[in-house]
Amino acid sequence: MAHVIHRTWKSGPRKVRKVAWGYTLQVDGRQVRKYDAAWSKEDAENALASRVLGVTPNGGSAPPITGMTFGVMVEKFLTEKRSEGKRSIEDDEERSRPLLAFVGAEAPLAAITTRRVAEYRVARLATTSRRGTTLAPATVNRECALLRSILRMALAWDELGKLPVFKMAKEEGKERFLSPEEITRLLAACAQSTNTRLLPLVTVALHTGLRKGELLGLRWEQVDFARGVIALGRRTKSGKGRDVPTNQAVYAALAPLRADAGGQEATGRVWGTLTKVDTAYHTALTRAKILDPDVNFHTLRHTFASHYVMRGGNIVKLQAILGHASVRTTQIYARLAPDHLIGATSILEGLGASQPAEFSTTSAHGASATRPALASGV
């Protein structure tokens, strides 16, 4: 194990507190500690990284550090999550590639310091995406979150002495949703795609709010036209079952596919062999001239929830449909409700007026009541 450490002591007649940063690690089965009173925490991290990578500050070589490499740990992490049946394992595999390219598969785990994590975040935020724009902060944050999960597993397995500090990038436009005009253009672009499954897939996503993993893993046994629901069972992010209501648009999108798959006796995957959709989806976005880097497949879920609320949908019902563990998560859409905060400040009518005024609190509280306005100067 290797990690940054520090020690403190009091010196002199006034007992001045002093701090020395350093590091500890194993070399050939022996625990080695090194301190320097002139080091800051960052200096100690750099010194540890140099020692772990086999380079001394003067450019010479240091004894190699034994221990699990980052590449081996990534593979062990993915193998375990795959065995657990993680729904987003393909996303993890994709996100691990830039991590391996930056850190290096042969790099020891102890070389991944707080500074190294920060360097990765900065480098990725400056990277150009396939669409010609810099990567969205949300994309970089998901990659950093994966790295943190991998290192947490290494920590639990005693392969890492200390977890680096992770500072996430500020995310803008996290609640971005498509306008009706954008939806129309996107569906038209999907209809032109060479991927014949794209249009029904996007249509179902827009009308159910299903996550990408839930949608791509959908089976005919879960689609109940008679009850008008998609019964997800426990094949969800939370592992808890839920029924998602469908509408006529979902029926129109899925009915032809079910007929081709055997009608009422259809079984197996709804989308056949289709397991990835990002390339076709991003091509459709480009064709529809939706070039916002914050728009991805998950935006369809935000779009469903946003338009549901704007059309008067109930927040508590939306929570059940989306499968949120807490209604607090769903509350981000509450501001879109047609009556959200309308009349909320009517209770202040007359504030500062020379004569007290009477007003109704019906719109603010839902029940009619008449009260004198607040006195001037209060």
Side-chain angles (χ1 to χ4, degrees):
M1 295 187 295
H3 57 273
V4 170
I5 56 177
H6 74 280
R7 60 187 181 93
T8 61
W9 72 95
K10 293 183 178 179
S11 176
R14 295 189 178 182
K15 301 298 182 182
V16 177
R17 183 175 179 271
K18 295 188 176 182
V19 179
W21 285 94
Y23 60 79
T24 179
L25 74 167
Q26 282 191 350
V27 180
D28 296 330
R30 180 172 56 90
Q31 197 71 24
V32 175
R33 291 181 177 84
K34 180 175 176 59
Y35 293 96
D36 192 318
W39 281 353
S40 65
K41 182 179 180 181
E42 183 175 325
D43 292 332
E45 289 178 342
N46 291 337
L48 175 59
S50 297
R51 184 65 186 276
V52 169
L53 294 172
V55 180
T56 60
N58 60 10
S61 60
I65 305 305
T66 58
M68 186 177 292
T69 65
F70 181 58
V72 171
M73 189 64 226
V74 169
E75 187 54 41
K76 287 184 177 294
F77 175 88
L78 294 175
T79 298
E80 178 154 323
K81 294 303 178 182
R82 200 176 292 112
S83 68
E84 293 173 355
K86 186 177 181 182
R87 303 290 298 164
S88 58
I89 188 63
E90 291 182 354
D91 292 335
D92 287 351
E93 290 172 348
E94 184 174 345
R95 289 167 183 154
S96 69
R97 295 188 186 104
L99 289 169
L100 285 165
F102 185 87
V103 176
E106 299 303 319
L109 290 172
I112 309 175
T113 61
T114 298
R115 176 169 181 164
R116 196 65 174 148
V117 171
E119 289 172 346
Y120 177 81
R121 184 180 67 252
V122 171
R124 289 296 283 167
L125 287 172
T127 300
T128 302
S129 69
R130 290 175 297 179
R131 299 169 68 186
T133 58
T134 54
L135 292 179
T139 299
V140 179
N141 284 345
R142 300 298 87 74
E143 293 172 1
C144 288
L146 174 62
L147 176 59
R148 183 171 53 192
S149 296
I150 293 170
L151 295 183
R152 279 176 175 167
M153 180 177 286
L155 187 67
W157 289 359
D158 292 328
E159 296 290 348
L160 186 67
K162 185 179 180 181
L163 196 68
V165 176
F166 283 78
K167 181 181 178 182
M168 297 300 185
K170 183 178 180 181
E171 296 185 20
E172 302 290 345
K174 195 172 182 180
E175 299 170 32
R176 169 74 158 94
F177 61 90
L178 302 180
S179 68
E181 293 76 17
E182 288 175 320
I183 293 172
T184 299
R185 298 204 310 269
L186 176 60
L187 292 176
C190 289
Q192 299 173 31
S193 175
T194 56
N195 186 333
T196 58
R197 293 285 193 267
L198 185 62
L199 178 59
L201 186 79
V202 170
T203 300
V204 174
L206 282 169
H207 287 267
T208 63
L210 291 177
R211 299 180 178 93
K212 183 169 69 171
E214 295 169 343
L215 191 58
L216 289 175
L218 198 62
R219 301 180 65 83
W220 285 119
E221 296 88 336
Q222 297 171 290
V223 180
D224 191 337
F225 283 157
R227 293 174 54 218
V229 299
I230 292 175
L232 291 179
R234 295 188 177 275
R235 298 174 62 85
T236 64
K237 180 179 178 180
S238 66
K240 298 179 180 179
R242 76 179 193 274
D243 286 352
V244 177
T246 59
N247 58 17
Q248 186 60 36
V250 175
Y251 177 83
L254 294 182
L257 298 180
R258 170 166 262 180
D260 291 342
Q264 295 297 322
E265 305 302 320
T267 59
R269 295 169 57 87
V270 169
W271 314 108
T273 58
L274 181 66
T275 58
K276 294 183 179 180
V277 71
D278 286 347
T279 299
Y281 179 70
H282 285 297
T283 299
L285 285 175
T286 301
R287 184 178 288 133
K289 293 182 170 49
I290 303 173
L291 305 178
D292 188 339
D294 287 326
V295 174
N296 51 35
F297 197 89
H298 196 71
T299 303
L300 300 177
R301 181 171 164 88
H302 287 309
T303 300
F304 162 80
S306 300
H307 285 280
Y308 175 90
V309 171
M310 286 190 291
R311 294 186 177 210
N314 180 277
I315 283 289
V316 176
K317 290 182 179 179
L318 179 61
Q319 176 198 359
I321 294 171
L322 295 178
H324 289 158
S326 169
V327 73
R328 292 179 61 184
T329 306
T330 322
Q331 286 292 344
I332 63 172
Y333 301 104
R335 64 180 178 79
L336 299 172
D339 60 349
H340 180 57
L341 299 183
I342 291 178
T345 58
S346 62
I347 58 174
L348 298 179
E349 293 289 353
L351 179 64
S354 58
Q355 296 294 328
E358 290 189 346
F359 65 96
S360 171
T361 62
T362 301
S363 59
H365 297 285
S368 180
T370 302
R371 300 180 183 176
L374 296 174
S376 175
V378 176

